[in-house]
């Protein structure tokens, strides 16, 4: 088993979220340890009360919530990214563990396969 | 050391695809093993048979085909990413009721499982976003 880390750093656009989610689900289906880290605008992907249909996008919060079915439940968010986005953990649909920016590099080092979200 | 590469960027979008190609060439030259190169997202554009850039520009599908032929490198294009972008292998085209054979020599089409499997076999996974 390897430790996979998906770093989601952008808000939803086009099919990029779907392609990240496909890869996350396949890694989980292979019984790998899968963690998700939300940084920068990526934190908006798990914001509650999204209304993305006017932009031709899918609401991503519910898709990320559904990952628990695949035993993906290691979610992390960067404290500074949340602050800069004007969000708190109460605005998010997932129970994230918070990491400070100066902990991120050490956190990434604990994983073997790092992929963009 | 054993490497698996994932290429997410199209040959025309920037330098990332070129760096991936150069990196793969250098790995081989240095005696490392390239387990698989997985083309995902916009990276699938590396595998189009009919891409025809002007003569003084790089033709990536030809470069990859030649690399694969010379060193038996496994070049895998993600089936779902390919279908989204209109790259159809003859089998898939037939299933969709279309006539097409878009895949350049040396590439094959398969699923995301091939990427995860190759990551597990490798010492290092390198992604070119």
């Amino acid at each position: 088993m390897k430790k996979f880390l998906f770093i989601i750093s952008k808000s939803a656009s086009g099919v990029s979220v779907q392609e990240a989610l496909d890869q996350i689900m396949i890694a989980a289906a292979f019984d790998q340890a899968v963690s998700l880290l939300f940084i920068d605008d990526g934190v908006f992907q798990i914001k509650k009360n999204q209304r993305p249909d006017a932009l031709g996008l899918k609401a991503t919060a519910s898709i990320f919530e559904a990952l628990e079915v695949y035993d993906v439940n290691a979610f992390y968010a960067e404290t500074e990214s949340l602050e800069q986005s004007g969000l708190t953990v109460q605005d998010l649909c997932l129970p994230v563990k918070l990491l400070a920016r100066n902990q991120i590099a050490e956190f990434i080092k604990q994983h073997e396969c790092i992929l963009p979200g | 050391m054993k490497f698996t590469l994932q290429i997410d960027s199209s040959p025309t979008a920037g330098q990332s695809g070129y760096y991936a190609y150069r990196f793969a060439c250098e790995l081989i030259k240095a005696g490392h093993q390239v387990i698989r190169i997985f083309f995902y997202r916009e990276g699938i554009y590396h595998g189009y048979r009919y891409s025809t850039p002007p003569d003084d520009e790089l033709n990536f599908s030809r470069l990859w085909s030649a690399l694969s032929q010379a060193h038996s490198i496994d070049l895998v294009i993600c089936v779902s990413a390919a279908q989204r972008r209109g790259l159809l292998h003859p089998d898939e085209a037939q299933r969709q009721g279309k006539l097409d054979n878009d895949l350049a020599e040396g590439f094959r089409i398969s699923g995301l499982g091939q990427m995860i499997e190759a990551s597990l076999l490798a010492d290092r996974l390198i992604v070119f976003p």
Side-chain angles (χ1 to χ4, degrees):
Chain A
M1 189 200 275
K2 285 201 174 180
K3 287 171 142 187
F4 282 73
L5 175 65
F6 291 85
I7 303 180
I8 292 112
S9 60
K10 289 178 186 150
S11 58
S13 66
V15 297
S16 69
V17 192
Q18 192 56 54
E19 294 193 318
L21 284 160
D22 288 349
Q23 207 160 24
I24 290 165
M25 287 188 280
I26 298 282
F30 271 66
D31 292 329
Q32 302 304 302
V34 178
S35 299
L36 272 58
L37 169 64
F38 297 88
I39 58 166
D40 298 336
D41 280 354
V43 295
F44 288 113
Q45 300 261 14
I46 49 170
K47 184 186 171 294
K48 288 178 193 163
N49 304 317
Q50 296 180 31
R51 291 164 56 204
D53 39 314
L55 300 170
L57 298 170
K58 288 185 189 175
T60 48
S62 57
I63 318 177
F64 281 104
E65 278 177 288
L67 286 175
E68 298 229 80
V69 176
Y70 292 84
D71 284 332
V72 178
N73 42 33
F75 305 115
Y76 299 84
E78 191 198 56
T79 311
E80 285 85 344
S81 299
L82 278 180
E83 281 167 10
Q84 281 157 19
S85 309
L87 299 173
T88 67
V89 284
Q90 281 77 39
D91 297 312
L92 306 178
C93 70
L94 293 177
V96 295
K97 295 182 193 86
L98 291 176
L99 292 169
R101 187 159 290 171
N102 62 15
Q103 296 175 291
I104 297 286
E106 190 51 46
F107 177 72
I108 291 174
K109 267 193 221 165
Q110 294 164 11
H111 299 81
E112 293 155 294
C113 296
I114 323 287
L115 287 149
Chain B
M1 214 182 247
K2 290 182 273 188
F3 283 81
T4 289
L5 310 187
Q6 176 175 311
I7 301 176
D8 286 353
S9 171
S10 93
T12 49
Q15 284 292 94
S16 190
Y18 180 64
Y19 294 149
Y21 173 73
R22 287 290 304 274
F23 188 72
C25 292
E26 292 302 318
L27 286 179
I28 294 161
K29 212 187 285 181
H32 294 296
Q33 187 188 346
V34 179
I35 290 184
R36 183 165 296 147
I37 303 182
F38 191 78
F39 296 83
Y40 195 43
R41 302 175 188 250
E42 312 305 318
I44 65 105
Y45 287 104
H46 286 263
Y48 267 94
R49 174 186 293 268
Y50 300 114
S51 63
T52 317
D55 288 342
D56 59 351
E57 292 177 19
L58 295 173
N59 185 327
F60 278 90
S61 54
R62 268 194 219 154
L63 288 172
W64 289 116
S65 296
L67 190 72
S68 165
Q69 200 176 15
H71 303 283
S72 307
I73 304 293
D74 192 16
L75 306 176
V76 176
I77 292 197
C78 174
V79 60
S80 56
Q83 284 183 12
R84 278 197 179 98
R85 294 167 179 85
L87 188 157
L88 293 179
H89 180 265
D91 292 352
E92 196 51 47
Q94 202 176 14
R95 209 175 0 229
Q96 308 267 345
K98 291 169 183 160
L99 279 173
D100 231 335
N101 177 18
D102 303 318
L103 199 62
E105 290 297 323
F107 288 85
R108 64 188 180 93
I109 291 219
S110 193
L112 273 165
Q114 293 269 303
M115 180 270 155
I116 302 295
E117 184 211 44
S119 308
L120 300 182
L121 295 171
D123 299 306
R124 293 280 186 279
L125 164 70
I126 312 286
V127 182
F128 292 83

